[in-house]
């Protein structure tokens, strides 16, 4: 999980584990807060993912869920406290190509219109890397909008739509299975 670069603690890192309960607990304690603009430190977050301890011959899948674009005015049209891009010099296109070069399938889930330009650039960059076609784009805007308009499914803490959660879970499970099968065939397993 990552948030805006202007905050004190930007990243919450937890390396791979087989302890699902511990991972759920860790994720459940996280909160995204603050920031003076809409963009987030996507580049920094992707760098953190690439620095995790992936096993070289494993099936590598990454899921990126975004409701805001990354920093840099070329990725969106809104207000940005860092219009030149990531303040640490990380370049989105280079990071996404590294996912492709390292055979890490990247699935991106769009929750709002704000991420449209960024996701197009990410897809193009991924397909410029070593492995083409392993970038997937999942548009969840309808599910989000439906949940937001149905007052009985929204509370002060955010979206609580069981329909949205079910739809998301079904898409994610199906996506994971098909990607694992594809990777297994490519690796000759």
């Amino acid at each position: 999980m990552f948030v805006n670069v202007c905050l004190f603690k930007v990243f919450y890192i937890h390396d791979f584990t087989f302890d699902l309960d511990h991972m759920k607990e860790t994720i459940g304690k996280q909160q995204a807060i603050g920031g003076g603009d809409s963009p987030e430190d996507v580049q920094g977050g992707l760098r953190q993912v690439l620095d995790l301890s992936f096993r070289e011959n494993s099936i590598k899948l990454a899921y990126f869920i975004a409701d805001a674009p990354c920093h840099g005015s070329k990725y969106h049209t809104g207000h940005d406290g860092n219009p030149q891009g990531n303040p640490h010099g990380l370049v989105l296109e280079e990071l996404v190509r590294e996912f492709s070069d390292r055979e890490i399938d990247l699935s991106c889930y769009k929750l709002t219109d704000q991420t449209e330009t960024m996701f197009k650039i990410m897809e193009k960059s991924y397909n410029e890397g070593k492995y083409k076609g392993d970038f997937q784009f999942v548009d969840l805007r309808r599910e989000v909008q439906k949940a937001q308009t149905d007052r009985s499914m929204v509370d002060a803490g955010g979206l609580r739509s069981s329909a949205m959660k079910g739809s998301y879970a079904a898409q994610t499970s199906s996506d994971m299975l098909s990607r694992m099968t594809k990777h297994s065939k490519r690796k000759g397993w």
Side-chain angles (χ1 to χ4, degrees):
M1 176 178 191
F2 51 92
V3 294
N4 209 341
V5 292
C6 68
L7 301 176
F8 178 72
K9 185 167 183 175
V10 178
F11 302 105
Y12 299 92
I13 310 302
H14 192 295
D15 209 347
F16 299 114
T17 181
F18 289 104
D19 187 346
L20 186 58
D21 291 332
H22 179 68
M23 182 54 90
K24 286 179 181 179
E25 180 183 334
T26 300
I27 292 171
K29 291 179 182 177
Q30 306 311 315
Q31 292 183 328
I33 56 171
D37 57 11
S38 178
E40 304 293 355
D41 188 9
V42 172
Q43 295 96 324
L46 293 176
R47 178 74 265 156
Q48 295 297 318
V49 170
L50 289 165
D51 290 343
L52 291 173
S53 59
F54 285 98
R55 292 182 185 165
E56 197 55 40
N57 291 318
S58 64
I59 295 173
K60 298 173 280 234
L61 309 172
Y63 295 89
F64 173 52
I65 303 167
D67 66 349
C70 62
H71 284 288
S73 59
K74 76 183 213 176
Y75 304 109
H76 60 86
T77 59
H79 168 70
D80 191 340
N82 294 289
Q84 76 288 352
N86 181 275
H88 304 293
L90 297 171
V91 179
L92 181 68
E93 293 87 339
E94 292 173 7
L95 294 164
V96 173
R97 271 192 297 277
E98 186 174 341
F99 274 84
S100 176
D101 291 344
R102 291 177 53 191
E103 296 184 59
I104 303 171
D105 282 6
L106 183 57
S107 294
C108 296
Y109 293 80
K110 183 197 300 194
L111 303 179
T112 68
D113 294 335
Q114 295 181 46
T115 58
E116 185 76 31
T117 302
M118 177 186 70
F119 279 141
K120 286 180 181 176
I121 292 171
M122 289 176 72
E123 182 174 23
K124 180 179 183 286
S125 298
Y126 190 95
N127 288 323
E128 290 172 353
K130 185 176 178 182
Y131 288 95
K132 279 84 172 129
D134 289 337
F135 180 94
Q136 183 180 17
F137 175 77
V138 180
D139 191 343
L140 293 177
R141 288 178 294 178
R142 279 191 196 163
E143 287 83 358
V144 171
Q145 290 167 354
K146 181 179 178 188
Q148 287 174 335
T149 58
D150 186 347
R151 294 277 173 204
S152 67
M153 294 185 169
V154 177
D155 68 13
L159 297 177
R160 300 290 182 233
S161 164
S162 59
M164 182 182 163
K165 288 179 184 176
S167 173
Y168 170 75
Q171 283 182 311
T172 302
S173 298
S174 174
D175 171 58
M176 286 178 72
L177 183 58
S178 67
R179 288 178 169 272
M180 287 171 59
T181 302
K182 183 175 159 182
H183 261 290
S184 296
K185 288 179 182 176
R186 185 167 62 205
K187 292 189 176 286
W189 295 345

